[in-house]
Amino acid sequence: MGGPTYWGVAGSPISHSLTPKLFQIMAKITGVEEAEQAFLQASDMDQFINEVSKMDGELWLSCTSPLKHLATSRLGVSGPEGVSAVNQLRRSEGKWYGANTDGLGFLTACRNIGIEPSRSTLMMRGGGSTARSIAAAWSLEGGSIIPVLGRRKLERGPWDSSILDSGDADISVDLDAEPAGEESFDLESRHQVSITYGSDSHSGEFAIMLLVAQHIEAWRALFAPEISSELPSLDQVLTLI
């Protein structure tokens, strides 16, 4: 199967990102033709648009902050209800398409460590795009959420019926933790996980499981839905990192 001209990651910071390696792993497993790698360091949409304008052909990108919520207004793509952000972008024949895999990736990573979202309470610090995506997916599965105020308050959304004021949390995550492996704010729960990883992280860490799960979902939903039945499992990809 043919692939895009370029694939990679965009945002800031991205020097630690494993996403280009994940594209290579997925290509090896699926037989998709490898593309030229793209590391697009961009701290705003003007810089991002300037960089991608220099790249001809189809483009597959995973996006980090601060581009996630900016892409919806500047590129004309839409995210899930209440989330208003995307973390995956595809440019094909000059048109942009987007998807948000943060929430589904988080559910998959939780199940991989033995936590079933539908029967669990999540304590979650933060209210940004990643928090909204996870809240939407967790609520849809039937789980409960205890929000903790961080840099931003979790806004009202389709997850409102799942919100608890207090209680015992099965799992917690600080979504305001700085990227590249910085420490998380301590939250009271039976199991706290981190979504940040650094250059010395390994496949047994939750953050890496989350990244891989998000990436597989991106191929299924946006990059190559026509081969969704041929995509590898989370464990298959983790063994190759």
Side-chain angles (χ1 to χ4, degrees):
M1 173 183 167
T5 308
Y6 300 92
W7 58 28
V9 62
S12 181
I14 58 170
S15 60
H16 66 291
S17 178
L18 286 174
T19 295
K21 182 177 181 179
L22 289 179
F23 272 117
Q24 291 180 313
I25 291 172
M26 292 292 286
K28 181 178 180 180
I29 293 174
T30 62
V32 171
E33 186 176 341
E34 285 200 40
E36 185 174 340
Q37 291 190 2
F39 276 87
L40 302 183
Q41 179 75 29
S43 56
D44 56 47
M45 281 304 295
D46 288 335
Q47 188 175 7
F48 172 81
I49 291 171
N50 180 62
E51 290 299 319
V52 297
S53 68
K54 305 172 186 176
M55 307 167 73
D56 294 327
E58 184 154 336
L59 177 62
W60 297 359
L61 289 172
S62 292
C63 296
T64 67
S65 296
L67 303 180
K68 290 184 180 183
H69 70 281
L70 298 174
T72 57
S73 59
R74 294 292 298 275
L75 301 180
V77 298
S78 58
E81 180 187 357
V83 178
S84 301
V86 296
N87 69 325
Q88 312 291 342
L89 286 169
R90 176 180 180 177
R91 187 187 65 191
S92 181
E93 298 182 348
K95 185 175 180 180
W96 287 99
Y97 303 88
N100 195 310
T101 63
D102 281 332
L104 289 176
F106 189 79
L107 297 182
T108 300
C110 284
R111 290 181 173 122
N112 199 57
I113 62 171
I115 295 175
E116 173 51 49
S118 63
R119 300 191 297 269
S120 301
T121 297
L122 167 66
M123 180 176 288
M124 187 176 69
R125 180 175 183 255
S129 61
T130 303
R132 297 194 302 272
S133 181
I134 290 174
W138 196 269
S139 174
L140 190 62
E141 288 296 299
S144 299
I145 302 167
I146 302 173
V148 174
L149 183 62
R151 290 193 298 269
R152 293 181 58 180
K153 181 180 179 181
L154 181 65
E155 301 170 357
R156 295 183 63 84
W159 46 81
D160 287 352
S161 62
S162 301
I163 297 297
L164 303 177
D165 292 329
S166 61
D168 295 327
D170 299 289
I171 185 170
S172 62
V173 60
D174 177 11
L175 299 171
D176 279 345
E178 293 296 326
E182 293 299 318
E183 290 188 8
S184 299
F185 182 86
D186 285 336
L187 298 167
E188 188 173 347
S189 67
R190 295 185 181 91
H191 191 101
Q192 180 162 356
V193 296
S194 172
I195 64 165
T196 71
Y197 67 93
S199 57
D200 59 346
S201 294
H202 56 82
S203 61
E205 294 183 25
F206 183 88
I208 302 299
M209 298 177 197
L210 171 60
L211 177 72
V212 173
Q214 291 171 338
H215 194 73
I216 295 171
E217 288 297 333
W219 279 64
R220 179 174 291 113
L222 184 66
F223 299 145
E226 64 273 24
I227 60 168
S228 58
S229 62
E230 303 170 29
L231 297 179
S233 68
L234 174 60
D235 286 339
Q236 281 179 286
V237 180
L238 286 173
T239 61
L240 297 175
I241 291 179

